Amino acid sequence: MIAKEIKRGMIVVYDGAPCMIEGVVVQTPSARGAATLYKFRARNLLTKTKVDFVLKGAESLNEADFQRRAVKYLYADMEKMYFMDEENYEQYELTHDEVGDEKNYLTEDLEGVLVLIYNEMPVGIAVPFTIVLKIVQCDPGVKGNSATSRTKPATLETGLVIQVPEYIEEGTLVKVDSRTGEYLSRA
């Protein structure tokens, strides 16, 4: 697949390993005859490291032989997290490192979770971009301060701490962007 067809969220083979594209920046040439450059930020799904690389418009990468299976989060112990395939009820186990930051958004009733399978082995998960979570602890807002755009820390049901507007109260359901970990709105 040529560089201009590679989009965010795709999984390609770079340097012999599957990498999920997290960002694309297109740099157009300023001189005649120069090539358009595509700068990619990706995450190596085997080592969990970030990879930056640049391709010219005519260069290409192979798409990774990958499967995405819809799963349901079951439970976690000290070493691993367990997921069940929603079609054939097969169970997958991943270490906390393999799940990575996505574990901050996992709840038992979360729908849209996908396990990423490469060479018949689960290597990670993908969660939806927008997650609804409940605030379990935050300081009360001060009356009259809602006119400004000040924020305060709030702890969500998964243990993740995010910044929310001052008027948000404990027990409120909020939408969170799972890519950036930022508050989006009330649910």
Side-chain angles (χ1 to χ4, degrees):
M1 139 179 341
I2 61 175
K4 70 178 185 178
E5 295 174 349
I6 299 173
K7 306 286 185 230
R8 188 174 192 282
M10 294 179 93
I11 301 172
V12 296
V13 176
Y14 178 75
D15 230 6
C19 295
M20 179 181 283
I21 303 296
E22 294 182 345
V24 180
V25 176
V26 179
Q27 186 175 355
T28 56
S30 58
R32 258 192 262 172
T36 301
L37 297 177
Y38 293 87
K39 296 181 179 184
F40 297 99
R41 168 150 289 181
R43 179 172 304 278
N44 184 318
L45 293 175
L46 299 179
T47 63
K48 303 298 183 218
T49 58
K50 289 198 181 204
V51 179
D52 292 323
F53 56 94
V54 178
L55 297 175
K56 292 181 181 175
E59 294 180 329
S60 64
L61 289 175
N62 293 328
E63 196 166 359
D65 180 24
F66 234 88
Q67 288 184 342
R68 296 171 193 235
R69 308 275 308 174
V71 293
K72 182 175 179 97
Y73 171 58
L74 296 175
Y75 65 96
D77 60 22
M78 297 301 288
E79 297 173 7
K80 296 186 178 183
M81 300 180 87
Y82 299 89
F83 301 87
M84 181 180 64
D85 191 313
E86 292 182 348
E87 273 186 37
N88 61 12
Y89 305 109
E90 184 179 345
Q91 287 194 15
Y92 302 106
E93 50 186 66
L94 295 164
T95 64
H96 290 274
D97 289 339
E98 290 172 330
V99 174
D101 292 337
E102 282 82 0
K103 68 182 167 191
N104 292 325
Y105 306 102
L106 287 175
T107 58
E108 289 183 14
D109 57 347
L110 181 63
E111 293 187 11
V113 179
L114 301 173
V115 68
L116 307 173
I117 300 174
Y118 183 69
N119 290 339
E120 305 297 324
M121 294 294 297
V123 294
I125 65 165
V127 296
F129 293 149
T130 305
I131 309 283
V132 176
L133 295 169
K134 183 177 183 179
I135 296 178
V136 294
Q137 193 281 320
C138 71
D139 296 331
V142 178
K143 192 166 183 89
N145 283 348
S146 61
T148 62
S149 61
R150 296 193 312 191
T151 61
K152 63 182 178 182
T155 305
L156 303 175
E157 61 187 301
T158 60
L160 180 66
V161 177
I162 63 169
Q163 292 292 318
V164 298
E166 221 173 54
Y167 60 85
I168 300 289
E169 298 175 355
E170 199 170 295
T172 305
L173 292 175
V174 294
K175 290 182 182 178
V176 180
D177 186 334
S178 65
R179 298 166 290 188
T180 62
E182 295 177 352
Y183 166 85
L184 296 173
S185 66
R186 284 191 252 192

